[in-house]
Amino acid sequence: LPTDAFFMYEPYRGIPAEVVQSFGAFKTELLGLEGRVVFPIKDNSEVIVGLQARFINSQITPKYLAYPAGVSFPWYPSPARITPIANSIILVEGLMDALFLHGKGVTNAVSIFGTKSVSYENLLEKLTPFLLMGIDTVYLLMDGDAAGKSASINIAKMITQQTDIIVQELSVGDGEDPATLS
């Protein structure tokens, strides 16, 4: 973590303070991550593999930054940090979606870090830690835009072709995302 990491103890974008705190959110002026809320992304062994930062105010672009650049994140939170519900996980596009759902008590929500992050080549690598914990159902809750709808269809197809997992596609309204649900 950066030496000036200032850990957050307040709510952020509808995510309760206790969830923000439990996922280690902080602010920093280093690493090119100033003006952002930063989350350490951990693998299944709880080792930090990178940082994902989201802007605090809407004038900063891009909306998300990964550090180091080009890092490939595992699906997050890892099995060590979720509570499966009925042997299932809910895959969502973004980290904010997953954390928002955790804040609502949906403790099996997992971020895939974008619709383009899943491929036939990496699906089993990303999914295996969850399979090892006994997951037998995957719910897909992608954003309600064209990219999210297309990704849901494609990811469902990949999972059913490569595993025996039951896949259910859930939907939000057009232009909505899981973090906008009430």
Side-chain angles (χ1 to χ4, degrees):
L1 297 178
T3 57
D4 73 334
F6 176 78
F7 289 94
M8 293 179 54
Y9 298 100
E10 68 268 1
Y12 174 67
R13 301 186 62 86
I15 302 166
E18 58 272 9
V19 173
V20 171
Q21 184 180 357
S22 72
F23 282 90
F26 64 91
K27 296 175 186 173
T28 181
E29 295 299 315
L30 301 175
L31 308 175
L33 301 176
E34 59 279 342
R36 297 173 184 274
V37 173
V38 184
F39 292 88
I41 306 303
K42 300 177 182 179
D43 65 14
N44 200 39
S45 300
E46 290 295 291
V47 173
I48 297 173
V49 296
L51 306 172
Q52 183 171 53
R54 188 184 199 287
F55 64 65
I56 294 171
N57 99 32
S58 60
Q59 279 72 37
I60 300 173
T61 57
K63 184 187 333 184
Y64 292 100
L65 279 179
Y67 181 88
V71 66
S72 176
F73 293 131
W75 289 354
Y76 189 75
S78 69
R81 296 188 56 90
I82 67 166
T83 304
I85 300 171
N87 293 330
S88 70
I89 56 173
I90 301 171
L91 297 182
V92 295
E93 285 184 44
L95 182 59
M96 294 298 115
D97 298 326
L99 297 181
F100 178 82
L101 291 172
H102 277 255
K104 296 292 186 183
V106 182
T107 57
N108 62 339
V110 176
S111 171
I112 64 170
F113 294 102
T115 60
K116 296 178 182 177
S117 68
V118 182
S119 66
Y120 279 100
E121 292 77 27
N122 72 10
L123 174 74
L124 288 178
E125 171 192 338
K126 306 270 187 185
L127 187 58
T128 295
F130 300 94
L131 295 174
L132 292 173
M133 69 182 297
I135 296 303
D136 60 19
T137 304
V138 170
Y139 295 97
L140 299 171
L141 184 58
M142 301 291 122
D143 293 356
D145 57 13
K149 291 174 184 178
S150 176
S152 186
I153 292 166
N154 291 334
I155 293 169
K157 186 185 301 182
M158 285 186 259
I159 292 172
T160 56
Q161 288 178 354
Q162 294 187 45
T163 72
D164 293 331
I165 297 289
I166 298 165
V167 180
Q168 295 288 319
E169 293 181 67
L170 306 174
S171 62
V172 294
D174 287 343
E176 300 287 320
D177 62 52
T180 62
L181 299 174
S182 56

